[in-house]
Amino acid sequence: MSVFTAMTLSAAQPFAAVDAVLSPEPMTPSRAACRREGVSEESPVAADGGIPDFAGLRSGEWGTGFDYEIGAFVSLLGQILPLVGVALGAVTSFLASSLNDRARWRREQSVRWDERRLDAYGEYIHAVKELAGRYQRIAAGRGLVIGPAPLELTAEVLAELGAAESRRSALGETCELLGDTDTNTASKTLNHCLWRLEHLARGVPTQSEQSWEQAYLEFRDAQRKYLEYARASLGVTGPVNRVVAWPSAWRPVGRPSRTE
């Protein structure tokens, strides 16, 4: 090589470097596919120069572009999950508080109405027993039963009986407003038995004759059933009482069973 040729090549090297910068390497099909898929050009491609082999993404060998996207997704997920947790906690707390408030309100309402039922049941049964005691005294005055303090049926007594019956009727209507079906039905039966005692005590004729003793036993049985249903509606379990026989030696002559 001559000296002139060597000098010519040395002078051409700077221009070759400039040409390399200004004239980049033409884009090959593999590079274009990489850019369309958003992956790095340094990632391995298929043997035929086509679409890259994405199996490298699973093995973690390549994919700087995918690494960026995955990192951004993880960062966004890390911000969303705490917000979702706070929202779920708030909703759960609200639902639990609402259920507790509703249950407390129901308990308060139940106690409130139970107190009113107890007062209504008690006043009604006391009014019934008061009338039954008066009818028994009138029956004793007529000789239908043996009992203390016989009562003569006068105009004043009739007026007192009328007032007591009106009070019993008003109390019965209050029970119908607060009581359940079984208790209200038992009160109807008790009223019928009470009126039967009234008819016998006052000598009102009926279609069928019945002794005072039998009528009073039916009244006591209706009274017991009413108390059982009333206790059940108030949540009181168990029978009213156990049967206790009245000693025969304590019974008055001609009185087979106790009548109160």
Side-chain angles (χ1 to χ4, degrees):
M1 180 181 297
S2 63
V3 176
F4 178 76
T5 303
M7 293 177 61
T8 303
L9 293 176
S10 300
Q13 288 179 356
F15 295 99
V18 173
D19 292 340
V21 173
L22 297 179
S23 301
E25 181 182 356
M27 182 177 295
T28 63
S30 61
R31 295 181 63 188
C34 289
R35 293 191 178 183
R36 286 198 305 271
E37 297 296 333
V39 300
S40 173
E41 297 177 3
E42 290 78 9
S43 60
V45 298
D48 57 357
I51 303 301
D53 183 8
F54 293 100
L57 177 62
R58 294 190 295 271
S59 62
E61 297 175 357
W62 61 275
T64 56
F66 276 107
D67 292 342
Y68 175 79
E69 293 181 2
I70 293 176
F73 175 75
V74 172
S75 177
L76 179 63
L77 190 63
Q79 297 176 6
I80 293 177
L81 287 179
L83 297 178
V84 173
V86 172
L88 290 177
V91 172
T92 304
S93 177
F94 173 76
L95 291 177
S97 177
S98 299
L99 292 176
N100 290 333
D101 292 342
R102 187 173 182 84
R104 182 171 62 254
W105 181 83
R106 288 180 176 177
R107 288 193 300 268
E108 292 175 353
Q109 292 297 316
S110 178
V111 171
R112 173 186 177 186
W113 289 113
D114 283 346
E115 291 178 352
R116 294 192 176 186
R117 288 191 189 96
L118 178 60
D119 294 339
Y121 292 161
E123 292 178 358
Y124 168 76
I125 197 65
H126 292 161
V128 169
K129 190 171 184 179
E130 179 183 358
L131 281 170
R134 286 176 176 264
Y135 296 148
Q136 184 180 10
R137 293 177 59 189
I138 295 173
R142 297 183 60 239
L144 301 177
V145 65
I146 299 175
L151 185 62
E152 184 179 357
L153 193 60
T154 61
E156 182 180 358
V157 171
L158 287 175
E160 293 176 355
L161 291 176
E165 175 61 23
S166 298
R167 179 172 179 271
R168 181 213 59 78
S169 179
L171 294 174
E173 292 178 355
T174 303
C175 291
E176 290 181 354
L177 291 175
L178 300 175
D180 57 1
T181 303
D182 292 335
T183 305
N184 292 337
T185 303
S187 68
K188 297 297 184 182
T189 304
L190 183 59
N191 292 338
H192 296 165
C193 294
L194 180 65
W195 296 334
R196 178 59 174 165
L197 294 181
E198 178 188 7
H199 296 160
L200 291 174
R202 298 177 57 183
V204 178
T206 57
Q207 294 182 358
S208 61
E209 295 296 330
Q210 187 181 24
S211 64
W212 173 267
E213 191 71 24
Q214 182 63 30
Y216 201 88
L217 289 176
E218 293 178 359
F219 166 77
R220 291 301 302 270
D221 184 65
Q223 184 183 27
R224 178 184 58 80
K225 290 182 179 179
Y226 173 80
L227 291 175
E228 290 178 354
Y229 285 122
R231 285 163 53 89
S233 68
L234 294 173
V236 182
T237 60
V240 177
N241 52 36
R242 295 183 175 86
V243 177
V244 179
W246 194 22
S248 302
W250 296 356
R251 299 176 186 173
V253 178
R255 191 175 182 182
S257 63
R258 183 178 182 181
T259 57
E260 297 179 353

